[in-house]
């Protein structure tokens, strides 16, 4: 059992180093992901606005063509006006002219509306384009930072991972999973030495003298009854005041 406990101490040292390397990367991977989402959303907005602009412009082109047609129709009616034979025909043609005028006027009103919409949308597209650029800039920088940090830690991390696997594979799986559970639950400290005056090195509560003797023998697994951590004996630590 002493052998197992010694290896657990080793395992914990490696896990703590690995944890520090991960902490060094900090929130960067998360930030990169969020910015990626933001940039995608902004790009989608931009595309939607550009599509809308196209439909406005198509509508305007169509209206202009229609107006041209109506104007030539109008001209024809005017010519007809000189050829009418009676008042009834005159009224009929005049009414056609009025109708065409009104239709043209309606279409012109819509064109003016479309011009305003077009101008507003152009402005909005410009600002969305700026937004995309700005977020993209932030994203590029964060990605760069992350790449640099990963580069710094990658080799070290691989080395530690290899050592860790070696030690873990020599330990009973049941003990490794118990250790892992405590490590994750107890602030990355699963194995603690007994400190001076028989105090738990994890929670600093007093241990019964009988337990301290047992732990010192390292013949079986001893867990702190207060914090649940694995207790080991270490001469140097036992001299230390808590
Ligand atoms: Zn404890």
């Amino acid at each position: 059992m002493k052998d197992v406990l010694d290896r657990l101490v080793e395992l914990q040292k490696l896990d703590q180093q690995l944890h520090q390397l991960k902490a060094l990367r900090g929130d960067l991977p998360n930030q990169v992901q969020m910015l990626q989402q933001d940039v995608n959303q902004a790009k989608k907005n931009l595309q939607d606005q550009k599509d809308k602009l196209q439909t406005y412009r198509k509508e305007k082109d169509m209206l202009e063509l229609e107006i041209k047609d109506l104007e030539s129709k109008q001209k024809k009616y005017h010519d007809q006006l000189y050829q009418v034979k009676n008042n009834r025909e005159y009224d009929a043609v005049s009414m056609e002219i009025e109708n065409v005028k009104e239709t043209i006027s309606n279409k012109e009103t819509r064109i003016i509306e479309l011009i305003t919409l077009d101008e507003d949308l152009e402005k909005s597209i410009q600002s969305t384009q700026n937004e995309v650029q700005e977020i993209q800039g932030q994203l590029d920088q964060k990605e760069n930072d992350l790449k640099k940090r990963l580069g710094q830690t990658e080799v070290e991390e691989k080395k530690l991972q290899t050592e860790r696997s070696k030690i873990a594979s020599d330990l009973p799986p049941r003990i490794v999973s118990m250790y892992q559970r405590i490590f994750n639950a107890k602030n990355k400290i699963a194995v603690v030495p007994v400190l001076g005056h028989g105090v738990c090195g994890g929670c600093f509560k007093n241990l019964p003298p009988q337990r301290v003797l047992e732990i010192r023998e390292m013949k079986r697994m001893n867990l702190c009854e207060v914090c649940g951590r694995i207790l080991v004996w270490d001469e140097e630590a036992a001299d230390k005041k808590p």
Side-chain angles (χ1 to χ4, degrees), residues 9-25 153 156-157 159-161 163-164 179 183 188:
V9 172
E10 281 303 307
L11 191 66
Q12 173 164 278
K13 256 186 217 157
L14 293 169
D15 278 342
Q16 283 171 347
Q17 282 171 13
L18 281 164
H19 177 68
Q20 269 170 5
L21 286 183
K22 280 202 186 103
L24 205 63
R25 264 178 248 154
T153 56
E156 177 79 2
E157 190 169 352
K159 202 185 95 199
L160 291 171
Q161 283 289 8
E163 281 179 57
R164 189 202 186 275
Y179 153 83
F183 185 82
K188 319 295 171 202

Side-chain angles (χ1 to χ4, degrees), residues 192 200-205 207 224-229 231:
V192 290
C200 166
C203 64
F204 308 110
K205 292 278 164 9
L207 301 159
C224 170
E225 279 169 10
V226 180
C227 68
R229 292 188 175 94
L231 287 157

Side-chain angles (χ1 to χ4, degrees), residues 9-153:
V9 172
E10 281 303 307
L11 191 66
Q12 173 164 278
K13 256 186 217 157
L14 293 169
D15 278 342
Q16 283 171 347
Q17 282 171 13
L18 281 164
H19 177 68
Q20 269 170 5
L21 286 183
K22 280 202 186 103
L24 205 63
R25 264 178 248 154
D27 201 30
L28 267 179
N30 215 6
Q31 286 175 23
V32 165
Q33 208 191 351
M34 300 276 273
L35 283 168
Q36 189 71 63
Q37 281 171 7
D38 288 352
V39 98
N40 287 343
Q41 184 59 50
K43 277 182 183 167
K44 195 186 165 297
N45 283 348
L46 187 62
Q47 194 52 52
D48 288 351
Q49 287 172 330
K50 282 181 176 172
D51 290 348
K52 210 172 185 187
L53 193 68
Q54 284 313 308
T55 61
Y56 285 163
R57 289 183 178 175
K58 265 187 204 152
E59 189 185 347
K60 185 168 161 278
D61 289 348
M62 218 171 65
L63 287 168
E64 278 166 353
L65 279 179
E66 285 169 5
I67 288 174
K68 245 183 214 163
D69 276 354
L70 287 165
E71 278 169 352
S72 63
K73 226 185 206 176
Q74 200 180 17
K75 202 169 160 288
K76 259 184 230 158
Y77 285 134
H78 271 289
D79 293 345
Q80 276 178 32
L81 217 48
Y82 296 107
Q83 294 155 17
V84 293
K85 293 177 185 96
N86 52 46
N87 272 351
R88 201 176 51 83
E89 269 186 39
Y90 184 88
D91 288 347
V93 174
S94 294
M95 199 147 99
E96 287 300 338
I97 291 174
E98 277 312 306
N99 281 344
V100 171
K101 255 193 200 165
E102 201 187 324
T103 314
I104 290 176
S105 160
N106 286 342
K107 288 184 192 294
E108 280 171 346
T109 308
R110 176 62 182 159
I111 286 179
I112 293 168
E113 243 174 57
L114 284 169
I115 291 171
T116 314
L117 286 170
D118 190 303
E119 282 171 0
D120 290 350
L121 202 51
E122 284 259 38
K123 274 182 214 152
S124 157
I125 284 174
Q126 190 55 54
S127 88
T128 311
Q129 243 156 8
N130 292 343
E131 193 191 342
V132 169
Q133 260 177 13
E134 198 184 312
I135 305 173
Q136 187 66 54
Q138 288 173 9
L139 177 61
D140 290 348
Q141 202 185 339
K142 293 277 178 197
E143 273 180 337
N144 238 343
D145 287 355
L146 184 60
K147 222 182 265 171
K148 256 190 239 158
R149 278 194 215 177
L150 283 176
Q152 285 165 356
T153 56

Side-chain angles (χ1 to χ4, degrees), residues 33 130 150 153 158 189 219 222 233-234:
Q33 208 191 351
N130 292 343
L150 283 176
T153 56
K158 270 196 189 132
I189 304 169
K219 276 187 183 152
N222 276 287
W233 188 259
D234 171 355

Side-chain angles (χ1 to χ4, degrees), residues 206-220:
N206 282 313
L207 301 159
Q210 185 54 39
R211 286 299 295 287
V212 176
L213 287 179
E214 272 177 39
I215 296 160
R216 194 168 190 163
E217 285 176 352
M218 295 252 256
K219 276 187 183 152
R220 63 180 199 92

Side-chain angles (χ1 to χ4, degrees), residues 170-183:
D170 281 347
L171 284 163
R174 186 181 52 83
I175 287 182
V176 174
S177 72
M178 180 179 80
Y179 153 83
Q180 198 65 59
R181 207 173 47 240
I182 303 171
F183 185 82

